[in-house]
């Protein structure tokens, strides 16, 4: 079992920045990839960013590319999401996720690739 705990959410004005953290605990050996997803009220959960192959490959949704950056500190078992130039449409609950083994779907930001999920952290961006 892997436990994931997000932190760093909050309220910020448009154009501002936030840094989300996700600390992994439990049996993390062999984790192949991790990602960030978000879900806004009334909308489906969507993939935001993912990191595969011990950090060698990153993927971003078109809506956040160039503004968000995913990274990880393997020594601390912690995943990060640096969010810059935030927009009101970035308002959502952000979830951290971890996956093991060969991914099931070719699309890197497919939620079905991930086996474990955190409880989420709220990000609110005001205009």
């Amino acid at each position: 079992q892997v436990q994931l705990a997000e932190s760093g959410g909050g309220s910020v004005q448009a154009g501002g920045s936030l840094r989300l953290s996700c600390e992994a605990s439990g049996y993390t050996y062999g984790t192949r990839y991790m990602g960030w997803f978000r879900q806004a009220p009334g909308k489906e959960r969507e993939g935001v960013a993912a990191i595969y192959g011990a950090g060698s490959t990153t993927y971003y949704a078109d809506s956040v590319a160039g503004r968000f950056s995913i990274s990880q500190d393997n020594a601390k078992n912690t995943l990060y999401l640096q969010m810059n130039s935030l927009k009101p449409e970035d308002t959502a609950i952000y979830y951290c996720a971890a996956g093991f083994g060969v991914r099931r779907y070719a699309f890197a930001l497919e939620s079905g690739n991930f086996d474990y999920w955190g409880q989420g952290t709220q990000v609110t961006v005001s205009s």
Side-chain angles (χ1 to χ4, degrees):
Q1 288 287 337
V2 175
Q3 292 80 44
L4 303 172
E6 303 96 336
S7 61
S11 298
V12 64
Q13 289 191 328
S17 298
L18 284 174
R19 189 194 195 200
L20 304 183
S21 298
C22 172
E23 184 175 354
S25 60
Y27 186 73
T28 59
Y29 178 78
T31 301
R32 294 290 300 275
Y33 37 92
M34 298 189 72
W36 289 98
F37 291 75
R38 67 185 182 186
Q39 187 166 20
K43 295 187 176 181
E44 293 187 354
R45 182 170 53 188
E46 64 171 342
V48 174
I51 189 165
Y52 282 67
S56 63
T57 306
T58 56
Y59 301 87
Y60 295 94
D62 289 344
S63 58
V64 306
R67 299 187 297 121
F68 290 10
S69 178
I70 188 172
S71 62
Q72 62 185 8
D73 184 332
N74 292 322
K76 296 181 179 180
N77 284 330
T78 301
L79 180 73
Y80 302 100
L81 184 68
Q82 178 66 44
M83 305 186 294
N84 299 326
S85 302
L86 283 161
K87 304 176 181 179
E89 50 263 44
D90 294 318
T91 295
I93 298 175
Y94 283 71
Y95 298 91
C96 171
F100 290 82
V102 178
R103 65 186 188 189
R104 304 174 187 88
Y105 302 93
F107 181 50
L109 297 179
E110 170 60 53
S111 62
N113 286 327
F114 297 83
D115 304 293
Y116 298 96
W117 296 81
Q119 294 298 309
T121 185
Q122 177 71 47
V123 171
T124 302
V125 185
S126 58
S127 57

